[in-house]
Amino acid sequence: MSTEQRKIALYQRINGFTGPLSRGSWHWRTRWIARLLASIVWRKNNGQVQQETLAIAQEWIRLFGLPQFWQVEHMEDDTVHCAIRFPCSLEGTGDVAACHRLMEYDRALLKKIGGSLVVVRSRADPTVTGACQVAIRRLTDSRHDLIPARLLD
């Protein structure tokens, strides 16, 4: 089994555990687990603080180590729009609130890098197929114009 296959299998096991956890009455544990995992990945992969929005998104993708699943689609108005295609245990469940809880990992990792993340379209919504759409901005960007998918229910 290659390093990439092992990494995919590990991410699938973690998502297979934390996804359902984020839907149950113990969902508050998802936040703790996500932040712990983000800290481990940050240290293990020598995470670097970035200043520019595109560099923040590229560092986030680098830290995952599987660029075929996390991709920059375009940049507009100092906002990087990315697609996440990694298989998710919440896909099609209709539980976009659980998706928000599960994405705490990404928000915690991006905060360390210097960015923030908003899930714009979640595959937890049964009408969304192909990829989740996220928007990344610098942590210092004070705009609140992006509508999170969890508020579109």
Side-chain angles (χ1 to χ4, degrees):
M1 183 182 279
S2 72
T3 302
E4 183 174 289
Q5 289 170 325
R6 284 194 300 274
K7 191 176 287 190
I8 290 170
L10 175 64
Y11 285 171
Q12 287 176 328
R13 282 192 307 274
I14 291 169
N15 187 273
F17 172 74
T18 56
L21 179 66
S22 70
R23 298 188 73 196
S25 61
W26 290 83
H27 65 77
W28 55 270
R29 289 185 177 184
T30 306
R31 182 179 223 172
W32 181 83
I33 292 168
R35 289 179 179 180
L36 175 65
L37 290 173
S39 291
I40 291 169
V41 167
W42 175 259
R43 275 187 290 230
K44 182 180 183 288
N45 295 319
N46 299 313
Q48 300 294 314
V49 173
Q50 301 295 325
Q51 302 302 318
E52 300 301 319
T53 310
L54 183 57
I56 291 167
Q58 290 169 332
E59 178 70 355
W60 172 68
I61 292 168
R62 183 190 74 78
L63 290 173
F64 275 101
L66 297 168
Q68 69 271 33
F69 295 110
W70 286 267
Q71 299 167 334
V72 170
E73 293 202 317
H74 68 279
M75 183 168 168
E76 178 182 326
D77 194 24
D78 206 27
T79 302
V80 178
H81 298 269
C82 299
I84 301 174
R85 291 184 172 79
F86 194 82
C88 180
S89 60
L90 296 176
E91 191 166 346
T93 62
D95 197 343
V96 181
C99 170
H100 175 73
R101 292 188 287 269
L102 187 61
M103 293 300 286
E104 179 64 24
Y105 170 82
D106 298 77
R107 287 190 301 276
L109 199 53
L110 276 157
K111 186 174 182 180
K112 290 177 178 301
I113 300 167
S116 64
L117 174 134
V118 173
V119 177
V120 180
R121 290 177 40 92
S122 168
R123 284 179 293 157
D125 177 340
T127 65
V128 175
T129 58
C132 292
Q133 302 296 318
V134 300
I136 296 173
R137 288 185 171 157
R138 285 177 286 140
L139 201 54
T140 57
D141 192 318
S142 61
R143 291 177 289 170
H144 298 284
D145 57 322
L146 298 170
I147 301 170
R150 66 187 164 85
L151 299 179
L152 297 175
D153 267 352

